[in-house]
Amino acid sequence: MSDEGGGGVAGLLDRTTAQAYASWLRALADPTRVQIVEYLARQAQAMSVGEIVAAIGLAQSTVSQHLKILTEVRCVLVEPVGTARHYRIDDACVDCFPSAADVVMGRPAPHPNGAR
């Protein structure tokens, strides 16, 4: 028996929300990605890959691969700037993540507005 998005066992996190939370947790399961998210959140502006590379201190290809994973789960958003791409934190993800962590740990929390 599975709950595919509603109705299931009373008190059980619905499947759609659980899948969104799991994708965020998987994306943040790497320390470099945690550093990138923290850095972008602290900067509060769109940044080029070169700027992120300079801050993180890893090869551009490595940072680009991590950014790809973070954009797939929408923790980070991409903004085209001419022929370049700039990256910024998705505020909806940042706003929802503490609630997601609370819920996963069994603490009451409001439903996330930004769960996808």
Side-chain angles (χ1 to χ4, degrees):
M1 179 157 118
S2 71
D3 177 23
E4 291 299 324
V9 178
L12 184 63
L13 187 63
D14 70 87
R15 189 70 166 177
T16 301
T17 302
Q19 288 173 330
Y21 290 175
S23 71
W24 295 343
L25 293 169
R26 275 191 305 273
L28 293 172
D30 182 281
T32 299
R33 290 194 289 270
V34 170
Q35 288 179 309
I36 291 169
V37 167
E38 186 274 335
Y39 180 70
L40 289 173
R42 206 165 18 91
Q43 298 306 307
Q45 65 181 357
M47 304 192 75
S48 70
V49 174
E51 292 170 313
I52 299 166
V53 165
I56 302 296
L58 296 173
Q60 182 172 339
S61 61
T62 301
V63 171
S64 292
Q65 183 60 34
H66 287 299
L67 286 167
K68 179 180 183 285
I69 292 166
L70 292 168
T71 59
E72 287 172 354
V73 298
R74 295 188 54 84
C75 282
V76 171
L77 301 175
V78 181
E79 296 179 357
V81 178
T83 59
R85 295 162 51 110
H86 286 196
Y87 297 85
R88 68 177 176 85
I89 200 71
D90 182 348
D91 292 326
C93 183
V94 171
D95 291 344
C96 290
F97 193 79
S99 294
D102 280 341
V103 169
V104 169
M105 298 310 293
R107 297 182 186 122
H111 287 289
N113 297 336
R116 296 178 219 308

